[in-house]
Amino acid sequence: MKNWFKNVGPGVLVSAAFIGPGTVTVCTLAGVNFQFALLWALLLSIISCIVLQEMAARLGIVSQAGLSESIRKEIQHPILRGLAITLVLSAIVIGNAAYEAGNITGAVLGITAVLSPLEVQLGSSFSLNIWSVLIGAIAFSLLYIGNYKILERVFIGLVALMSISFIITAFLTQPDFSAILEGMFVPKMGTDGILTVIALVGTTVVPYNLFLHASLVSEKWKDASKIKTARKELTAAIILGGIVSMAIVICAAAPNLVNVSSAADLAVGLNPLFGEYATWFIAIGLLAAGITSAITAPLASAYVVKGCFGWESGIKSAKFRAVWISILSLGVLFSSLRFSPIEIIRFAQIANGLLLPVIAMFLFWIVNKTSVMGKYKNSLLQNILGTIIIVISIFLGAKSIYSVLQNF
């Protein structure tokens, strides 16, 4: 057991990163609107996530470099390299700055589901949300310490708390398990469900997690013999994350839930059905999801910038800290003043829609290079799975961009 805990870490951070307030909200809406019918999309997402994250982890361990650093080194043509780096920086750094407000707000929603809001009025137009500042301070403290082992332990605790909260609530709803199995293995969608399917996949297979994972494993493991350990750890962690996502869908599919448009509404809606315990479990789960994403988004951004510009310094360096402090500060500012940077978020959605298939193709290309991976390059099965996932990601990316452009 001691040895098992020693090897837990990077995969848990990836799992914690994709189960943020956005995922909780999307899963809630999927459950309310479609009950168990779209669980198959989550299953597909989990498999895709495992395949791509395994490639990223293998690249990080073998090359001892992050994904953005590999992009900079392996793309030789200066114009193509410049375009790739610009796209990555735009989608990951600007995107995470825009989404960070949602991460912090999600954690605040978890708190205010059971506790009173704390606000300070700033003139006639603005009020400062004290809970947002508190969440930001917690994230800042953990990141500023710059100790990877402490971060690992905190995330293991938060993921455990989040998992227990949502899974127990799912069981409290006493779902029909035969209907759950049907939803997982019998694909149904319809015209109304396509955008929800895109959202479910998009919130699970997250581009910035590929960068984060490659960087984290290169810091934790220095020997290619650890690939098998990393593979087991990430598979277990992502499956657990998938189970949590499915548990949220199951909670939201509970009968007689009406006027539910967010996880906060879900917490309130379950109260008359299953008592105050369900409300507390949902609130705690949402709080944990918000805090984990509020930490991983700035951390991933800093690793991306570090790799793109070739910084040699580590997690405690002034430049590295300046990046994540900027992302976190913008998130706290937008969340505490209740300002939603809609145009920036739309831009980030388009950039991420372009980025996922591009990064998946680059990752696929580089993990097939003998000069980089040696004997650890992709197998035939990994190439087949990778090709299928790239095709799916291109389709979903195009659909995502189209849906965003329609709203302009």
Side-chain angles (χ1 to χ4, degrees):
M1 182 62 72
K2 184 179 180 181
N3 189 53
W4 185 84
F5 274 110
K6 184 180 177 182
N7 290 320
V8 170
V12 172
L13 266 71
V14 168
S15 181
F18 78 70
I19 309 176
T23 302
V24 176
T25 299
V26 168
C27 290
T28 297
L29 295 177
V32 169
N33 296 325
F34 303 97
Q35 282 69 56
F36 307 131
L38 298 184
L39 286 176
W40 64 270
L42 271 177
L43 184 61
L44 173 65
S45 303
I46 294 162
I47 295 169
S48 300
C49 189
I50 290 171
V51 172
L52 289 179
Q53 295 293 160
E54 189 277 336
M55 290 184 193
R58 195 159 21 100
L59 171 63
I61 294 174
V62 173
S63 69
Q64 285 296 290
L67 184 50
S68 55
E69 187 177 350
S70 298
I71 290 174
R72 184 175 53 83
K73 288 180 178 178
E74 296 301 322
I75 298 180
Q76 300 300 319
H77 195 287
I79 295 177
L80 290 178
R81 182 170 61 241
L83 287 172
I85 289 174
T86 300
L87 178 60
V88 167
L89 288 173
S90 298
I92 302 299
V93 180
I94 297 176
N96 283 359
Y99 295 142
E100 182 68 356
N103 295 331
I104 295 171
T105 300
V108 172
L109 287 175
I111 295 174
T112 54
V114 291
L115 298 176
S116 300
L118 287 178
E119 295 185 353
V120 174
Q121 196 67 32
L122 300 176
S124 58
S125 303
F126 294 105
S127 60
L128 181 67
N129 191 319
I130 301 301
W131 289 125
S132 296
V133 176
L134 180 61
I135 297 298
I138 293 171
F140 180 91
S141 301
L142 290 170
L143 285 168
Y144 195 83
I145 290 169
N147 187 310
Y148 181 69
K149 288 185 178 179
I150 291 176
L151 275 177
E152 277 188 350
R153 289 166 186 166
V154 169
F155 272 86
I156 289 169
L158 287 171
V159 169
L161 185 65
M162 182 166 53
S163 304
I164 292 169
S165 297
F166 286 125
I167 291 170
I168 287 178
T169 311
F171 275 103
L172 286 175
T173 64
Q174 299 178 338
D176 181 347
F177 287 100
S178 62
I180 290 174
L181 290 174
E182 182 182 347
M184 288 176 63
F185 298 106
V186 181
K188 297 176 184 176
M189 184 165 55
T191 307
D192 295 338
I194 181 65
L195 291 180
T196 306
V197 169
I198 293 170
L200 286 170
V201 176
T203 57
T204 306
V205 188
V206 184
Y208 86 69
N209 271 344
L210 298 173
F211 294 91
L212 181 64
H213 202 183
S215 297
L216 291 175
V217 296
S218 67
E219 291 192 6
K220 186 175 180 69
W221 293 299
K222 304 297 182 182
D223 189 340
S225 64
K226 295 295 184 180
I227 289 175
K228 188 175 181 181
T229 300
R231 187 178 291 138
K232 287 180 179 178
E233 191 259 347
L234 79 89
T235 301
I238 292 171
I239 288 174
L240 176 60
I243 291 171
V244 171
S245 296
M246 289 184 180
I248 299 166
V249 174
I250 293 167
C251 292
N256 303 317
L257 279 180
V258 293
N259 299 322
V260 174
S261 60
S262 70
D265 294 337
L266 176 61
V268 175
L270 289 173
N271 196 350
L273 295 173
F274 309 109
E276 191 176 340
Y277 292 113
T279 305
W280 273 93
F281 282 129
I282 287 287
I284 291 169
L286 185 56
L287 172 63
I291 291 176
T292 54
S293 294
I295 296 171
T296 53
L299 184 63
S301 299
Y303 275 122
V304 166
V305 174
K306 176 178 181 286
C308 285
F309 291 109
W311 297 344
E312 296 296 332
S313 50
I315 192 171
K316 291 186 179 181
S317 71
K319 290 185 290 188
F320 191 94
R321 282 175 171 167
V323 176
W324 65 253
I325 287 173
S326 299
I327 302 295
L328 181 59
S329 299
L330 286 172
V332 172
L333 178 66
F334 291 153
S335 174
S336 60
L337 297 180
R338 295 182 177 178
F339 171 70
S340 179
I342 298 299
E343 297 306 319
I344 299 176
I345 289 174
R346 281 177 173 170
F347 167 78
Q349 286 176 324
I350 293 174
N352 274 304
L354 288 169
L355 186 67
L356 179 57
V358 170
I359 292 302
M361 284 188 282
F362 176 79
L363 189 59
F364 187 70
W365 168 61
I366 199 171
V367 292
N368 275 289
K369 292 189 71 172
T370 305
S371 60
V372 177
M373 302 299 293
K375 66 180 181 179
Y376 298 103
K377 68 179 185 179
N378 266 12
S379 65
L380 176 61
L381 177 60
Q382 287 168 326
N383 280 334
I384 292 171
L385 291 174
T387 301
I388 294 170
I389 291 167
I390 287 171
V391 171
I392 293 172
S393 68
I394 291 171
F395 169 74
L396 293 176
K399 279 283 189 180
S400 177
I401 293 168
Y402 177 73
S403 65
V404 171
L405 291 176
Q406 278 189 314
N407 293 324
F408 273 104

